[in-house]
Amino acid sequence: MVDSSSPLGQHPEINTAVPQTARIWNYWLGGKDNFPVDRQVGDQILQAFPAIVENARASRAFLARAVEYLAGQAGIRQFLDIGTGLPTANNTHEVAQRVAPECRIVYVDNDPIVLAHARALITSSPEGATAYLDADLRDPENILRQAARGLDLDQPVAIMLMGILGHIADDDEAQSIVDALVDGVPSGSYLTINDGTDTSEEVVEAARIWNQSANPTYHLRSPERIARFFDGVELVEPGAVSPPRWHPEPSSAGPPAEIDSCCGVGRKP
Ligand SMILES: C[S@@+](CC[C@H](N)C(=O)[O-])C[C@H]1O[C@@H](n2cnc3c(N)ncnc32)[C@H](O)[C@@H]1O
């Protein structure tokens, strides 16, 4: 584990020949940590599905509102953010520690470029701590074992799965990963999910283009299927909805438009 007190270790070679999910996402979010192959597939998808940029921004905005809720109203002080992505504005630890500086965050990703940028993620308020774990979502027991070095797993934890479950194609495998993670944290913990839905022709075409060339592949699900990942936890109001509809900022412009994603926050009873 890379933590705020240890030097960044050697990271495996970064493959600049194959488009990678963290880097394409970074491109759509306006970041600079991407290569020509990532921009090429990113642009192809943009043509088929121009709303992807709005989708990426609205997804990040949901992350910030969910973390504010968790660290604020829900009183959560520990976060396990799996599928972190490249550092951007309002990373989980920044939002959480703005609300409660003592928050502890463990980030997890399996892309070497995210590991290479881990230093930017593991800044922390003096009262709290952040750490980075190079691990695969497909091995939740390993994640929990290693996360226990940075988090007290006898105390509530917010598990964050943002834009990552679509990378697990098989429904049963994705469900068993979610179940194992929730089983590994105590009552009063939270599960936060946001993932792409198959709710427009354009997004389905975008996923088809993605799966021809980018790594790892991404599988859209129906909003109902994503909502079922919350079976066993109590969904916070308004339930599983499109991200702009989850605790929206007050606006005079009426209800916010939906995007092709489904998100929610659930509490383990
Ligand atoms: C679309 S990005 C989302 C980034 C961030 N969570 C957000 O919402 O902005 C998905 C991230 O999941 C990571 N990822 C994909 N499959 C993974 C796996 N099996 N184990 C760990 N991380 C994975 C990718 O490397 C990438 O950083």
Side-chain angles (χ1 to χ4, degrees):
M1 172 144 34
V2 180
D3 62 35
S4 24
S5 61
S6 77
L8 181 64
Q10 291 283 60
H11 56 82
E13 204 181 320
I14 292 164
N15 186 346
T16 59
V18 178
Q20 299 286 331
T21 177
R23 301 188 320 228
I24 301 171
W25 192 243
N26 170 266
Y27 175 53
W28 290 330
L29 285 169
K32 299 270 179 282
D33 303 311
N34 46 72
F35 296 99
V37 285
D38 308 310
R39 296 193 282 277
Q40 196 184 338
V41 73
D43 284 339
Q44 256 179 293
I45 291 175
L46 255 175
Q47 272 193 351
F49 180 46
I52 187 66
V53 170
E54 179 49 30
N55 196 318
R57 288 189 188 141
S59 294
R60 289 296 306 187
F62 164 68
L63 181 149
R65 294 198 305 281
V67 173
E68 260 172 33
Y69 168 84
L70 290 162
Q73 249 175 287
I76 288 288
R77 294 293 175 263
Q78 306 194 97
F79 293 79
L80 179 58
D81 182 346
I82 309 173
T84 310
L86 283 157
T88 177
N90 282 332
N91 300 300
T92 296
H93 72 285
E94 292 164 339
V95 180
Q97 292 182 345
R98 270 203 298 271
V99 179
E102 68 272 31
C103 285
R104 306 174 70 83
I105 293 90
V106 171
Y107 287 115
V108 183
D109 207 289
N110 69 347
D111 187 329
I113 198 164
V114 183
L115 174 60
H117 284 77
R119 266 197 190 292
L121 286 170
I122 56 173
T123 57
S124 173
S125 63
E127 302 89 340
T130 65
Y132 181 84
L133 184 54
D134 181 23
D136 198 304
L137 176 65
R138 290 189 168 81
D139 190 352
E141 285 79 16
N142 174 49
I143 290 178
L144 287 165
R145 202 167 41 248
Q146 295 213 52
R149 288 156 56 196
L151 303 176
D152 176 356
L153 297 187
D154 292 328
Q155 296 298 319
V157 176
I159 297 165
M160 316 285 299
L161 297 169
M162 313 290 276
I164 188 174
L165 283 174
H167 289 303
I168 308 293
D170 185 78
D171 272 355
D172 292 343
E173 185 185 5
Q175 186 69 61
S176 78
I177 289 168
V178 172
D179 293 346
L181 289 169
V182 173
D183 280 353
V185 293
S187 159
S189 292
Y190 283 81
L191 172 67
T192 303
I193 293 175
N194 179 29
D195 233 69
T197 53
D198 56 3
T199 34
S200 73
E201 277 175 27
E202 290 82 4
V203 76
V204 170
E205 174 61 7
R208 192 190 64 75
I209 297 169
W210 178 288
N211 290 336
Q212 275 176 345
S213 47
N215 185 49
T217 57
Y218 194 86
H219 303 271
L220 299 168
R221 296 187 161 93
S222 67
E224 296 73 27
R225 180 62 196 91
I226 292 176
R228 284 214 301 281
F229 287 126
F230 291 101
D231 284 357
V233 299
E234 294 159 352
L235 270 170
V236 167
E237 285 298 317
V241 293
S242 184
R245 301 265 167 110
W246 197 92
H247 296 206
E249 303 291 350
S251 138
S252 54
E258 301 208 350
I259 60 166
D260 293 306
S261 284
C262 179
C263 72
V265 175
R267 183 180 185 278
K268 181 172 175 177

